[in-house]
Each structure stands twice: as structure tokens, then as C-alpha cells.
């Protein structure tokens, strides 16, 4: 009995000890858990701080150094040192008889521009693909040869740019003649001789301008007029003359000078290289033409009814200003800023020198001087899709009565689009997490280089639209609310953006790279409108424009925007064909209902064999697919690998072909032009076009006039889009982009065996768990981190 009680006591004691130990373990475990939570929170906070720093690093504007990538080298821009070496080399060449630009006169030979010039495409591809030697990097130099008789403009290829040893006259077979002296771009050497003539006239009519506009050119304080000559420099072939238009200059009293054009114009002639023959030829005041300034002064003094004043517009100094208006009852109820884009897991693209890589895409960015920004050597999953995609030229063709209505035609590459790139506003023009690229170009006035920062941005963007999705419902089942699966993938893209500002208009260009192999080239016009004289003040019968402010004697004229794009597509190599798939309705006898007919659409393939045969003037009654393909490469279904050209914004050039504006924009005569590649047909643009509209030395028509074979050749697609613009009151102070975006796309067409975006990890698949209402969600990401951008608060649930 005693032993039994002893064992019972020991058992109770052991039980109590065990309970005590268990309580202790629980307490320790709870303490450890709390400590772990605290440690985890502290660790998470430290990680957030570290990752926030990482995000900040992601926002740097400077790309990584070029490294040893071949494409970085062959497509690299000229450096400041190389510009200097080219200049020094040319000044030392006795055969050119050059004068330093700062000391040049109209009878001097001097350098106007220096720009990078790509070597032959075959040499570059041989270097990139076949291990051949790297071709020498070259410069194209434009020289004004005022010392020659007659004076002329010449272009030279100088190479190699890092240590020049040769210069060769550039002679293009597409040029009808040498470049005429009178078609050159107006520079400081010429304007130094024109300015005194304009100065003399404006001083003599100073009292007229002050009484009429309360603004003058001289001793004017904050109420000054400025002269702008944006018009073509020739009214007939071979001459050089232009109209100077008067605008109220930017000041605290007037902003957006483009809206403040006055009805006063001076025509001057400046043909040749003898400034003693430059002269004022006509003057316009109050829509009346005078042969000279004396006639205007006499008329003004003797005829009071002839005088007309132009007061400040309604709205005063706020008219044309970019500042926010007070909308009164229309003010937004929220003062919160708009949403911002950031990448909580870091960037998925890289920019190394001029090379960009992104989810299978790779390409190089190059900024030419004359035409738009290029993306070169474009590859998708290692295969070259295009050798070049680029914006080429911009035109704005205006209507109205003289002088500006007739002569106000803009061919923007004359102002050289690469020079008309200006710093982008970070966080507005592009997301804050974009990478920004700079531009370096030669300034002819100072003979030095200009370094302009942040003119191109690269960023990833969730477009807000699914790239692909489907909800597989039990549509025909007893319960249509049930489903088999659902999937979706956001259309997350890479964007290369730049904005050309040419005088008044800003053009927002985007090259967009989708994960299904599609490339979009988009453009959206915005900016200020140009004005022209208002001859008809009745808004309902005015056929040329819109009077946007009743106190101004000016109107916003009708105009036509046109854009040229280049797509040097290489489908599985450089031996390609071009065909159209012509869609037509066809009537059939119904096979199952005797005596009944039915109609349905069909398509027919039509191979285009020559350049002239391939010209496309879009016809809504004859819809087509435009396809470039490789006849020697087929995928598993037997179709030829191809890429389709599609556009939203085809626009017909309505002006007759023999008119000067149409002559200068021959690239817009057809909406699609397919040409055999030529190293002499690099661009549809020309820096001389603004000044030789009647007989251009470089006409795009010559690209296809020789009607070369285009079957199994290296092909280039030139695509034009545009829009007509009849301004309205809402275009003040600036016209806006919604509804005006134009897009040209190249899309894989039987290029892949299936949609290549299905290898992307961005998709999500949702499946039912049997008959349960629960779902299984499959996401394919393996690496995730969290980070926040600067000055951004994020509520995170741990």
C-alpha cells in the first residue's frame, strides 16, 4: 500500500512538473514569436528602406555605359571630340577653301552642319551577323559654297570620324541636280544682311504699328513685336523670297505669341550671294498690299478710314497663357494629384549606351539630325524583325488668303527634327521611373556642340487594356454562371518617347513594343496654332478657318497634318516579298437551301512584283491586308513567315499633284510605298524641302520612279498618315491630343507558330476547384520584392 501511494505521489509530481515545463515552453514560444514578429517588422522596414533606395536608383536618368556590344559601337552618335576632329580636318583641306563659320560671309565656303552618317546596311549587317570588320563610322557634312561661281550647296562624307583621313563628295542618284544655293536653310550669315532691311522698314512705320497695335519693334518695353519668317522661301522655282510676319512678343502682357499675329507683313528677296541685291519687295497692312513702304505711309496718313486697331484679346494677359484658369463652379472637387506609375519590383528593361533590352526585345536608339528618332537592329527573341523603324517627315499644309494663307506650308525636317528635341518634363511628359537619353549636335553658328539633356525617354507602361483574355463560361450548360477557366494578361509594353517642337506645334512620338511581337509607331499633335489674317468676320460663311477671339483680326486656319514613317522590315532575312490580301464580297448559291443565295467576304492574295505595282492609295471600298513575307521560310502550318503593315489614320492628300505643297510632300501621295532598299534612299526627309517646293532636288517620287523589282529583295515600307484640322474654340490656348492620335503598326502575320506572348509570366489563369465555388489562381512570377518610390505612401498588409 505504501509503495502504491509513493508511486501516486511521484506521478502527480511528475505531472505537475510536466505542466510547468509546458507552460514555460509556451511562454518562451510566445516570447520568441513576439520577438520574431518584431524582428520581422524591423527587418521589413529595413528592407523597405533598402528597396526604396533601389527604386530611387531605378529613377536615374543616365543609362549604363556602352560596354563591348557591337551594335552600341556601330550605331553610336558622334562625340564632341569627334565633331571637333571633323571640323579641324575639313578646315585644313586646301581644296575646300573653308572659312570658320564665325568669320564667314555670303561669299565664303563654310560648314553648315555635321551629322552622323550610317555606313552601308550590308556592311553593318556583315559586322553584326557574320563577324566581318566593323565599318568605319562616318559623318555627313553640309557646306555652303558661297565662294564658288555660281554658289552652291555640297555635302561630303568624312571618315573615319575618330581620326578623319578622307572626304568624298556625296552624290546621290535620286537627286535631279546639285543642291541650289537658293534652297539652303536660312542661317545667321544670311539674316545678318536681311535684318538691317527689316529694321529700316519697321522704324519708318513705327508710328503706324504703335497706333494700330500698341506694339512696335523698337523702344517697346513689354509691348514688342517680333518678326517670324516660317514660310516657303520661294514663290516660283529658282528664287529666294519670303514674307516676314509680325507677332506680339512673349511678355508678362502676352504669352503664346503664336496666337498674337498682327496683319502686318514684309516681303523680302535674298537670292544669290550678293547682299547688295537683297531688297524689300512688298508690304501688307490691314490686308492691303503695297509695293513699298512709302506707299503704305502715304495711304495711312491720307486715309483715316484705312486705319484699323487691334486691341488686346478678350482674356487679356491670360489669353494664350499656360497657367491654370479658375473654373469657378467647374473646378474639380478634389485637389489630390493624379496617380503615378511606379515599379514596385524594379525595372524589367535595361538601357546600356544606346542599346535597349526588354522581355525578348532588343534594339538601338539613334537620333539623326534631319529626320526623327530611329530604333535600329530591332530583334524579338533573337530574330531581327526590322533594321529600322523611324519617323521621317512632318508636314502641315494650311489654307487661307494671302499672304500666310497661301504660303504658310511647313515641311518640318527643314528645321531638322533632331535639333528640335527639347528636355522632357519628368513625371509629366514621361513617368518618373523612365530612363532619359540626351542628344549632342553641331551648332553651325558657334561651330561647337550643343548637349541637350533628357530629350528621349524609355519606360515600361501598363496600357490598362488586356493584351489577351477570356472567360470560359458554361454557356450552353444548365448553369451559365459556372465556368471552366478564366485568364488574362495585361498589355504591358515598352515605350520609346520623344517630342518634336517645331515653332508652334509639338508632336508626341511613341515607339511601342508589345509582348506579342507587335510594334506601334504613334504620333499625337499638340501645341499652339498659327494664325492668319481674318478676311471674313462672319463665322458661318468663313471657309478658311475659325475666328477664335472676336477682338483679333486673325483666324485659326484649316490645315492638314501629315506624317511619314519608315519600316525597313527584315522577315527572316533581307529577301522578302510584298503582297496584298484583297477583301471582296462574293455571292454563292446556298448549298442547303435551293434557290437562295448568300453573300460573304472572301480574300485573294496578290503578289506585287514592282515598286509602281505596290503603290497603295487607300480605298474604303477595297480593304486590304498589306503583308511582307519571306517566301523561303515557312512555319509548321505551311504559311510563310510574315509581318503585316496596318494603320489607323490613313489620310488622302487632296491637293493636285502639280501644286507646290503636294510636290514637296510626295511621300504623302500614297499611303503605303514599298521600295527596294538603297543606301541612297535613307530618308524621305530633306533639310532643303522648305526652300525648294517647286523643283526639289530630292524628291521622294524618285524612290519608286525607276520601278525596280521587289520580289525576293530587301524591302522598305514607307507609310504616311495624317488628319485634317478645322480649329475650334477649344484649341485655345493649345490644341489637345485626345482624338488626334495616329498609329502605324507592324504585326506578326504567321511569323510565329502561336501567340508568342504566352511565354510571358505576366498572364494569370483562374480555374475552378471542382464543383466548389473556390478558385485556383496561377501566377507565374518567381521573384517579387516590394519597394516604394520617393514621397509615396503605400498601405501594406503584412
Amino acid at each position: 500500500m505504501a509503495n502504491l501511494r509513493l508511486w501516486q505521489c511521484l506521478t502527480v509530481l511528475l505531472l505537475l512538473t510536466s505542466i510547468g515545463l509546458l507552460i514555460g515552453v509556451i511562454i518562451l514560444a510566445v516570447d520568441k514569436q513576439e520577438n520574431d514578429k518584431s524582428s520581422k517588422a524591423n527587418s521589413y522596414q529595413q528592407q523597405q528602406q533598402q528597396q526604396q533606395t533601389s527604386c530611387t536608383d531605378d529613377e536615374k536618368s543616365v543609362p549604363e555605359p556602352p560596354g563591348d556590344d557591337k551594335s552600341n559601337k556601330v550605331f553610336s552618335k558622334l562625340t564632341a571630340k569627334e565633331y571637333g576632329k571633323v571640323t579641324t580636318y575639313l578646315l585644313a583641306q586646301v581644296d575646300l577653301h573653308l572659312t570658320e563659320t564665325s568669320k564667314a560671309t555670303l561669299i565664303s565656303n563654310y560648314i553648315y552642319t555635321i551629322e552622323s552618317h550610317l555606313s552601308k546596311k550590308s556592311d553593318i549587317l556583315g559586322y553584326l551577323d557574320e563577324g566581318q570588320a566593323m565599318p568605319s563610322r562616318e559623318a555627313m557634312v553640309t557646306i555652303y559654297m558661297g565662294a564658288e561661281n555660281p554658289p552652291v550647296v555640297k555635302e561630303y562624307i568624312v571618315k573615319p570620324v575618330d581620326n578623319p583621313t578622307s572626304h568624298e563628295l556625296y552624290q546621290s542618284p535620286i537627286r535631279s541636280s546639285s543642291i541650289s544655293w537658293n534652297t539652303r536653310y536660312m542661317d545667321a550669315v544670311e539674316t545678318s544682311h536681311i535684318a538691317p532691311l527689316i529694321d529700316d522698314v519697321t522704324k519708318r512705320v513705327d508710328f503706324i504699328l504703335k497706333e494700330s497695335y500698341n506694339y512696335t519693334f523698337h523702344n517697346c518695353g513689354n509691348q514688342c513685336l517680333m518678326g517670324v519668317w516660317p514660310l516657303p522661301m520661294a514663290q516660283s522655282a529658282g528664287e529666294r523670297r519670303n514674307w516676314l510676319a509680325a507677332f506680339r512678343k512673349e511678355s508678362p502682357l502676352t504669352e503664346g505669341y503664336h496666337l498674337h499675329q498682327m496683319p502686318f507683313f514684309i516681303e523680302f528677296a535674298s537670292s544669290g550671294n550678293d547682299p547688295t541685291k537683297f531688297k524689300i519687295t512688298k508690304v501688307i497692312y490691314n490686308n492691303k498690299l503695297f509695293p513699298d513702304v512709302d506707299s503704305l505711309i502715304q495711304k495711312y496718313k491720307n486715309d483715316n478710314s484705312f486705319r484699323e486697331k487691334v486691341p488686346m484679346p478678350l482674356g487679356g494677359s491670360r489669353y494664350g497663357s499656360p497657367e491654370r484658369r479658375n473654373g469657378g463652379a467647374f473646378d474639380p472637387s478634389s485637389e489630390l494629384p493624379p496617380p503615378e506609375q511606379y515599379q514596385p519590383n524594379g525595372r524589367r528593361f535595361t538601357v546600356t549606351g544606346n542599346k535597349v533590352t526588354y522581355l525578348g526585345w532588343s534594339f538601338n536608339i539613334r537620333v539623326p539630325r534631319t529626320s526623327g528618332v530611329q530604333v535600329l537592329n530591332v530583334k524579338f527573341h533573337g530574330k531581327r524583325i526590322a533594321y529600322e523603324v523611324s519617323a521621317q517627315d512632318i508636314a502641315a499644309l494650311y489654307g487661307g488668303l494671302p499672304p500666310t494663307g497661301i504660303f504658310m506650308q511647313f515641311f518640318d525636317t527643314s528645321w531638322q527634327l533632331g535639333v528640335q528635341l527639347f528636355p522632357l518634363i519628368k513625371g509629366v511628359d514621361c513617368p518618373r521611373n523612365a530612363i532619359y537619353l540626351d542628344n549632342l549636335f553641331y551648332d553651325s553658328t558657334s561651330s561647337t556642340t550643343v548637349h541637350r539633356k533628357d530629350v528621349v525617354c524609355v519606360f515600361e507602361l501598363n496600357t490598362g487594356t488586356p493584351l489577351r483574355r477570356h472567360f470560359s463560361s458554361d454557356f450552353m450548360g444548365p448553369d451559365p454562371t459556372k465556368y471552366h477557366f478564366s485568364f488574362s494578361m495585361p498589355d504591358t509594353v515598352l515605350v520609346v518617347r520623344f517630342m518634336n517642337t517645331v515653332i508652334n506645334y509639338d508632336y508626341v512620338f511613341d515607339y511601342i513594343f508589345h509582348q506579342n511581337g507587335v510594334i506601334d509607331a504613334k504620333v499625337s499633335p499638340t501645341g499652339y496654332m498659327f494664325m492668319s489674317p481674318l478676311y471674313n468676320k462672319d463665322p458661318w460663311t468663313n471657309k478658311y478657318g475659325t475666328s477664335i477671339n472676336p477682338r483679333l483680326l486673325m483666324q485659326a486656319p484649316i490645315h492638314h497634318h501629315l506624317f511619314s514613317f519608315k519600316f525597313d522590315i527584315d522577315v527572316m532575312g533581307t529577301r522578302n516579298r510584298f503582297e496584298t490580301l484583297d477583301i471582296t464580297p462574293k455571292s454563292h448559291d446556298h448549298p442547303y437551301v435551293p434557290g437562295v443565295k448568300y453573300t460573304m467576304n472572301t480574300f485573294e492574295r496578290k503578289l506585287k512584283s514592282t515598286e509602281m505595282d505596290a503603290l497603295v492609295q487607300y480605298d474604303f471600298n477595297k480593304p486590304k491586308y498589306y503583308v511582307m513575307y519571306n517566301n523561303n521560310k515557312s512555319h509548321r502550318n505551311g504559311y510563310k513567315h510574315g509581318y503585316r503593315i496596318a494603320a489607323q489614320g490613313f489620310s488622302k492628300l487632296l491637293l493636285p499633284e502639280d501644286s507646290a505643297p503636294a510636290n514637296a510632300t510626295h511621300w504623302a501621295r500614297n499611303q503605303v510605298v514599298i521600295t527596294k532598299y538603297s543606301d541612297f534612299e535613307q530618308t524621305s526627309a530633306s533639310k532643303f524641302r522648305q526652300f525648294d517646293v517647286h523643283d526639289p532636288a530630292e524628291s521622294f517620287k524618285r524612290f519608286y520612279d525607276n520601278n525596280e523589282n521587289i520580289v525576293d529583295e530587301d524591302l522598305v515600307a514607307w507609310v504616311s498618315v495624317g488628319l485634317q484640322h478645322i480649329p475650334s474654340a477649344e484649341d485655345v490656348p493649345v490644341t489637345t491630343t485626345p482624338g488626334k492620335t495616329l498609329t502605324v503598326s507592324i504585326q506578326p502575320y504567321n511569323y510565329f507558330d502561336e501567340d508568342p506572348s504566352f511565354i510571358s509570366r505576366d498572364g494569370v489563369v483562374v480555374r475552378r476547384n471542382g464543383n466548389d465555388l473556390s478558385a485556383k489562381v496561377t501566377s507565374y512570377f518567381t521573384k517579387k520584392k516590394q519597394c516604394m518610390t520617393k514621397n509615396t505612401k503605400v498601405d501594406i498588409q503584412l
Side-chain angles (χ1 to χ4, degrees):
M1 180 66 70
N3 289 337
L4 178 61
R5 287 189 175 182
L6 177 62
W7 282 108
Q8 288 176 338
C9 290
L10 290 173
T11 301
V12 172
L13 180 62
L14 181 62
L15 178 62
L16 291 174
T17 303
S18 299
I19 293 172
L21 290 171
L22 178 62
I23 292 173
V25 168
I26 292 173
I27 292 173
L28 288 173
V30 171
D31 287 343
K32 184 177 185 302
Q33 186 175 12
E34 292 300 320
N35 290 334
D36 285 348
K37 283 185 178 181
S38 176
S39 176
K40 182 178 179 181
N42 292 334
S43 175
Y44 184 81
Q45 291 172 0
Q46 293 171 1
Q47 184 183 18
Q48 287 286 34
Q49 292 171 357
Q50 293 171 357
Q51 290 172 344
Q52 184 167 348
T53 302
S54 174
C55 283
T56 303
D57 290 341
D58 280 349
E59 294 172 359
K60 288 182 178 178
S61 297
V62 181
E64 299 173 22
D68 295 326
D69 186 270
K70 283 185 172 183
S71 62
N72 249 318
K73 294 178 180 178
V74 76
F75 296 126
S76 63
K77 60 187 176 183
L78 298 184
T79 65
K81 187 176 181 179
E82 288 169 338
Y83 278 115
K85 286 191 173 184
V86 171
T87 303
T88 301
Y89 166 80
L90 289 174
L91 289 173
Q93 304 310 303
V94 294
D95 61 311
L96 297 177
H97 305 288
L98 293 182
T99 300
E100 292 183 21
T101 305
S102 60
K103 301 175 183 178
T105 67
L106 285 174
I107 57 173
S108 302
N109 295 347
Y110 62 96
I111 297 172
Y112 170 55
T113 64
I114 303 174
E115 54 191 303
S116 172
H117 182 260
L118 286 179
S119 301
K120 292 182 179 180
K121 177 180 177 180
S122 59
D123 292 343
I124 292 176
L125 292 184
Y127 167 66
L128 293 176
D129 300 342
E130 300 170 15
Q132 297 177 9
M134 177 177 164
S136 64
R137 293 171 55 246
E138 305 171 351
M140 170 79 81
V141 182
T142 303
I143 300 179
Y144 289 173
M145 311 292 284
E148 294 199 0
N149 187 18
V152 71
V153 178
K154 293 183 179 180
E155 292 180 315
Y156 289 86
I157 301 297
V158 179
K159 60 184 179 180
V161 293
D162 56 344
N163 186 25
T165 57
S166 70
H167 60 286
E168 180 182 348
L169 182 65
Y170 180 76
Q171 295 177 303
S172 171
I174 68 166
R175 286 182 178 165
S176 60
S177 61
S178 60
I179 304 170
S180 168
W181 176 255
N182 284 338
T183 65
R184 73 196 189 284
Y185 184 82
M186 183 179 290
D187 66 351
V189 176
E190 181 181 10
T191 56
S192 66
H193 296 287
I194 297 172
L197 300 176
I198 301 296
D199 194 57
D200 177 67
V201 171
T202 54
K203 284 181 177 178
R204 295 182 63 191
V205 298
D206 186 78
F207 73 100
I208 297 177
L209 302 177
K210 191 171 184 63
E211 290 178 3
S212 300
Y213 314 136
N214 204 28
Y215 277 63
T216 68
F217 284 91
H218 307 282
N219 302 318
C220 45
N222 284 335
Q223 294 175 266
C224 294
L225 294 175
M226 59 182 289
V228 178
W229 43 72
L231 316 178
M233 293 295 294
Q235 294 158 33
S236 62
E239 68 174 356
R240 187 173 179 85
R241 61 175 62 203
N242 199 2
W243 286 95
L244 178 140
F247 290 80
R248 283 173 170 157
K249 193 175 182 179
E250 301 276 7
S251 75
L253 300 178
T254 51
E255 290 192 305
Y257 78 86
H258 314 90
L259 302 177
H260 296 273
Q261 186 182 143
M262 300 294 102
F264 176 74
F265 304 89
I266 302 171
E267 187 193 55
F268 58 90
S270 58
S271 296
N273 63 344
D274 183 356
T276 64
K277 295 181 179 179
F278 292 3
K279 59 183 178 180
I280 303 298
T281 51
K282 296 182 182 70
V283 180
I284 290 180
Y285 168 81
N286 191 17
N287 300 333
K288 300 295 189 296
L289 178 66
F290 297 90
D292 52 58
V293 68
D294 292 329
S295 302
L296 166 59
I297 293 172
Q298 183 179 4
K299 175 71 172 177
Y300 186 87
K301 289 181 176 180
N302 297 334
D303 187 355
N304 291 338
S305 64
F306 170 68
R307 305 174 185 179
E308 186 163 8
K309 294 187 177 183
V310 179
M312 289 293 290
L314 294 175
S317 61
R318 301 288 288 181
Y319 183 77
S321 167
E323 302 296 336
R324 178 182 179 271
R325 275 53 164 170
N326 186 345
F330 295 100
D331 273 352
S333 58
S334 174
E335 295 183 358
L336 295 176
E340 287 193 45
Q341 175 178 309
Y342 75 104
Q343 294 169 286
N345 302 300
R347 288 200 185 99
R348 302 197 296 182
F349 68 95
T350 63
V351 180
T352 307
N354 59 47
K355 184 174 181 178
V356 180
T357 59
Y358 169 72
L359 300 183
W361 286 105
S362 68
F363 53 85
N364 298 79
I365 297 175
R366 180 173 178 266
V367 184
R369 183 184 180 94
T370 301
S371 59
V373 171
Q374 300 168 310
V375 287
L376 299 163
N377 195 35
V378 181
K379 293 183 178 182
F380 190 50
H381 296 297
K383 296 181 179 180
R384 184 175 294 108
I385 303 298
Y387 179 71
E388 177 184 350
V389 174
S390 62
Q392 287 290 299
D393 206 349
I394 306 171
L397 310 180
Y398 286 75
L401 296 174
T404 50
I406 292 178
F407 301 123
M408 191 159 65
Q409 318 297 342
F410 294 94
F411 312 103
D412 289 354
T413 51
S414 301
W415 282 271
Q416 298 153 75
L417 298 182
V419 177
Q420 306 305 323
L421 294 171
F422 300 94
L424 299 165
I425 302 175
K426 296 182 179 181
V428 183
D429 287 334
C430 310
R432 293 188 186 278
N433 58 346
I435 286 179
Y436 294 81
L437 304 178
D438 301 348
N439 189 24
L440 187 74
F441 60 89
Y442 179 83
D443 178 60
S444 57
T445 302
S446 63
S447 300
T448 59
T449 54
V450 175
H451 180 195
R452 196 166 285 164
K453 293 181 64 64
D454 304 335
V455 300
V456 178
C457 66
V458 184
F459 58 92
E460 190 175 9
L461 175 70
N462 185 328
T463 65
T465 301
L467 177 70
R468 51 177 169 79
R469 63 97 59 197
H470 182 66
F471 185 89
S472 181
S473 67
D474 190 13
F475 184 72
M476 300 299 295
D479 185 358
T481 63
K482 292 184 177 180
Y483 68 97
H484 304 292
F485 59 83
S486 177
F487 67 85
S488 187
M489 174 180 166
D491 188 17
T492 307
V493 301
L494 190 75
V495 180
V496 176
R497 174 171 293 171
F498 59 99
M499 303 184 190
N500 287 115
T501 301
V502 187
I503 308 179
N504 60 311
Y505 259 110
D506 297 66
Y507 300 102
V508 182
F509 285 94
D510 288 341
Y511 302 144
I512 303 173
F513 299 84
H514 299 261
Q515 294 187 57
N516 64 342
V518 172
I519 303 173
D520 295 332
K522 295 174 60 177
V523 60
S524 305
T526 179
Y528 285 92
M529 295 177 296
F530 245 120
M531 300 293 103
S532 68
L534 179 63
Y535 289 85
N536 185 347
K537 298 180 182 179
D538 183 350
W540 299 109
T541 60
N542 185 358
K543 300 178 180 180
Y544 295 106
T546 304
S547 175
I548 57 173
N549 195 302
R551 300 184 69 182
L552 291 173
L553 301 179
M554 308 301 291
Q555 66 181 357
I558 181 175
H559 53 283
H560 192 185
H561 291 286
L562 291 162
F563 305 89
S564 172
F565 289 95
K566 177 183 179 182
F567 296 87
D568 184 353
I569 303 171
D570 291 342
V571 181
M572 300 288 184
T574 57
R575 293 178 60 82
N576 293 164
R577 295 184 176 189
F578 176 71
E579 69 176 4
T580 61
L581 277 58
D582 297 11
I583 302 170
T584 55
K586 188 173 182 179
S587 180
H588 302 267
D589 292 325
H590 203 296
Y592 310 121
V593 184
V596 174
K597 288 185 175 293
Y598 69 97
T599 302
M600 61 195 309
N601 286 340
T602 63
F603 70 88
E604 181 180 358
R605 297 180 182 273
K606 291 187 177 180
L607 176 67
K608 305 301 179 180
S609 58
T610 66
E611 292 173 327
M612 296 288 282
D613 188 33
L615 297 177
V616 173
Q617 292 191 355
Y618 186 76
D619 184 349
F620 274 102
N621 295 314
K622 299 176 181 179
K624 295 176 172 65
Y625 268 32
Y626 309 105
V627 179
M628 202 173 289
Y629 68 97
N630 191 317
N631 194 54
N632 298 317
K633 303 287 186 179
S634 304
H635 66 45
R636 64 188 182 190
N637 295 331
Y639 291 107
K640 306 300 182 183
H641 292 281
Y643 252 77
R644 177 192 171 202
I645 302 163
Q648 299 176 14
F650 281 152
S651 186
K652 181 178 177 60
L653 181 61
L654 299 176
L655 302 177
E657 191 166 355
D658 60 353
S659 66
N663 196 34
T665 52
H666 217 290
W667 47 262
R669 179 60 55 187
N670 303 281
Q671 285 69 57
V672 180
V673 176
I674 306 297
T675 62
K676 179 181 176 181
Y677 178 88
S678 168
D679 288 307
F680 291 104
E681 297 173 359
Q682 288 294 313
T683 176
S684 61
S686 171
K687 55 178 168 285
F688 308 107
R689 187 156 292 143
Q690 187 74 29
F691 316 111
D692 65 349
V693 295
H694 298 279
D695 185 23
E698 300 175 330
S699 173
F700 181 72
K701 191 172 187 291
R702 298 189 188 98
F703 282 36
Y704 57 82
D705 257 355
N706 53 0
N707 201 25
E708 291 188 270
N709 170 65
I710 58 171
V711 178
D712 296 331
E713 299 286 356
D714 189 359
L715 303 183
V716 179
W718 309 85
V719 185
S720 68
V721 291
L723 61 91
Q724 298 279 1
H725 187 185
I726 302 176
S728 66
E730 291 79 12
D731 287 310
V732 176
V734 296
T735 185
T736 52
T737 59
K740 301 181 181 72
T741 297
L742 307 168
T743 305
V744 183
S745 301
I746 59 171
Q747 308 166 0
Y749 194 76
N750 296 317
Y751 189 90
F752 302 99
D753 290 336
E754 64 175 4
D755 176 6
S757 75
F758 270 85
I759 69 173
S760 172
R761 294 182 182 275
D762 289 5
V764 172
V765 178
V766 180
R767 293 185 180 275
R768 291 185 59 182
N769 280 331
N771 293 322
D772 295 339
L773 295 179
S774 62
K776 177 184 177 183
V777 180
T778 302
S779 177
Y780 301 95
F781 295 108
T782 57
K783 294 182 179 180
K784 290 185 180 181
K785 66 177 181 178
Q786 293 289 333
C787 73
M788 297 177 291
T789 56
K790 290 181 294 185
N791 303 321
T792 303
K793 293 182 179 180
V794 181
D795 183 14
I796 300 174
Q797 300 293 327
L798 293 179

